[in-house]
Amino acid sequence: MNRLLPSLAALAASLVAPTAMAGPLEDLRARTPEQEVIYFVLPDRFENGDPSNDTGGLKGGKLVTGFDPVDKAFYHGGDLKGLTARLGYIQNLGATAIWVGPIFRNKPVQGPKGNESAGYHGYWITDFTHVDPHFGTDADFKALVDAAHAKGMKVYMDIIANHTADVIQYKEGTAEGYPYRSKADYPFSRKGGVGGAPINPGFAGDGDASAANWAKMIDPSFAYTPYVPKGEERVKVPGWLNDPIYYHNRGNTDWKGESAQYGDFVGLDDLATENPRVVEGMIAIYGDWIDKYGVDGFRIDTAKHVNPEFWRQFVPAMKARAAAKGIPNFHIFGEVMSGDYDPALLASWTRNAALPGVLDFAFMHAVLKAAGGGSSEELARLPDDDGLYEGGARAAMQLPTFLGNHDAGRAAMFLKAANPAMSADELLKRDELAHAMLLTLRGVPTIYYGDEQGFAGTGGDQLSRQDMFASKVAIYNGEALVGTAKTTKTESFDPAHPLYRLIAQLSALRVKTPALTDGRSVTRAASEKPGLVAVSRFDPKTGREVLLAFNTSTAPISAQVAVDPASLAFEALAGTACAATASAPGSVRVELPPLGFAVCAAKP
């Protein structure tokens, strides 16, 4: 099906040099978060621009260097020079901002013997102040930011304040074997449990954030006995991070209750973010990245595993630092992972922790359920549930929306799981339908790298982190891609891929259509069964209505849809044709093919 109508031909032609993304740095800075289309990329898996840094300057085997391009758990060679060289590919996709996975220096390899893996993903930080040599140099990162800005594209950094790499060990046994020890059973005031010797006299607990109170926290052995192994005493930068007193030291989280905030993630050293020294230190670290490189936003990893009080200090400090640098629309959003549709959980972090935005897992679950042929009732609830967020529906427009990611898995995998017997053609159409929803509904559309090339995978984490450059990983190369007969054995930068073309077309339409970037939403149709989903969005200045209609079923649909009584004539912007005129004031006929969609704008 031709997803691009003739009326958009000129718009598509402009993709080579999108006018919406051109102009001086001042124009880029003026764009608000909801006006962006984000492309999320893990540098190690994108493009290898400099093979000389593949081992990060280290000598030895994979367990020393972390490099093994045939193993999905190790570095593959992608770097910042490679990402910079491919900015044109990302821009032509329609992205206006790049969310770059963590680029800080990581512990190259960690994990128990026989189950080691590498820090290719960037979340095992030892040095928070420099680029990991596997990705290049600090100068390479500056070159990336400068090159992106020259193209009118923003750069968002992926940051972590919850934990560092696994360096601190406990004398009681191996790190991975430690069950969580609670504050009730192992209070700060006793060594090794309630029956232990008194320690930390006068410490009033971590609810008192004063420096005077925390000066009385001098012994971190209340639950376990932490120590830093020989040879790693100074591995963390800045230096204060090497002292166990700044960590929770309570063993591994079970992801529930108290341990979700205080526990180590499978050994990762969990920072005591209640401590004012830690707050001060993290503000200094990330403020410096803003000052030095002029980045445009932060995605915050594991945000819900940090106490809300930390974010209430950190976020304003970052906003102020960015404003002083001339970045008035600094975009901050946290990861509050949810396994189902739970906008109340997400919204609570915008209220209790004052996070400006969170990754919209509720949107992901609602869209994949609907596009996969299930109920669209959750999708219909989104406009009403947006009232839960601090700032209401207006604030919800800056929530990054997405269909899959490096932890949960890819959109195509979820769609296929909903109906394993579906044909390859149906999977492509459902994938296109989901992306049409992503790029026209409220929020900030976030494309996970490779989805535009039909990457699918068979799971989350390492199974959803395929290589864009020619891969040597057998499990990746054996996977069927969506919309193409190619595999990841050859590079995957094809601008003719049907998903790439659709995303590029709709991204260009989105950034040129105010109703789609920051227009209010009204649900018009939804069902617990496959069928019609319709949402109206309205230009915030003119009030012009744009009707979005989606068919989640494999049968054609013909139905009347409610519209504003003032919307009497329509033009098609994307998808299938629209009725030229309303059937009557307040109602228009919608005709959609199986798994089709339409974007219909009311004429002035």
Short mmCIF file of all heavy atoms in Angstrom, two decimals, residues 72 89 231 294 368 417 480 490:
data_model
loop_
_atom_site.label_atom_id
_atom_site.label_comp_id
_atom_site.label_asym_id
_atom_site.label_seq_id
_atom_site.Cartn_x
_atom_site.Cartn_y
_atom_site.Cartn_z
N LYS A 72 27.34 -11.76 21.64
CA LYS A 72 26.35 -10.70 21.85
C LYS A 72 26.53 -9.97 23.18
O LYS A 72 25.97 -8.90 23.38
CB LYS A 72 24.94 -11.26 21.75
CG LYS A 72 24.57 -12.29 22.80
CD LYS A 72 23.14 -12.78 22.59
CE LYS A 72 22.71 -13.90 23.51
NZ LYS A 72 23.25 -13.98 24.84
N TYR A 89 22.14 9.68 7.83
CA TYR A 89 21.16 8.58 7.81
C TYR A 89 20.08 8.82 8.86
O TYR A 89 18.88 8.63 8.59
CB TYR A 89 21.89 7.27 8.08
CG TYR A 89 20.97 6.10 8.41
CD1 TYR A 89 20.45 5.30 7.41
CD2 TYR A 89 20.65 5.79 9.74
CE1 TYR A 89 19.61 4.23 7.71
CE2 TYR A 89 19.82 4.73 10.04
CZ TYR A 89 19.29 3.95 9.03
OH TYR A 89 18.46 2.90 9.33
N GLY A 231 43.92 -3.17 44.16
CA GLY A 231 44.13 -2.78 42.79
C GLY A 231 43.00 -1.94 42.21
O GLY A 231 43.14 -1.36 41.12
N GLY A 294 27.52 21.27 25.84
CA GLY A 294 26.28 21.88 25.40
C GLY A 294 25.23 20.89 24.96
O GLY A 294 24.48 21.15 24.02
N LEU A 368 1.06 -1.34 21.45
CA LEU A 368 1.38 -2.70 20.99
C LEU A 368 0.19 -3.63 21.16
O LEU A 368 -0.03 -4.52 20.33
CB LEU A 368 2.59 -3.23 21.75
CG LEU A 368 3.93 -2.55 21.42
CD1 LEU A 368 5.04 -3.13 22.27
CD2 LEU A 368 4.26 -2.70 19.93
N ALA A 417 4.67 -11.94 18.79
CA ALA A 417 4.27 -12.79 19.91
C ALA A 417 2.76 -12.78 20.11
O ALA A 417 2.18 -13.76 20.59
CB ALA A 417 4.96 -12.31 21.18
N ALA A 480 15.07 -13.53 11.04
CA ALA A 480 14.36 -12.94 9.91
C ALA A 480 14.01 -11.50 10.24
O ALA A 480 13.49 -11.21 11.33
CB ALA A 480 13.10 -13.74 9.61
N THR A 490 24.91 -8.34 6.65
CA THR A 490 25.39 -7.17 5.91
C THR A 490 24.87 -5.92 6.61
O THR A 490 23.92 -5.98 7.40
CB THR A 490 24.91 -7.19 4.46
OG1 THR A 490 23.48 -7.24 4.43
CG2 THR A 490 25.47 -8.40 3.73
#
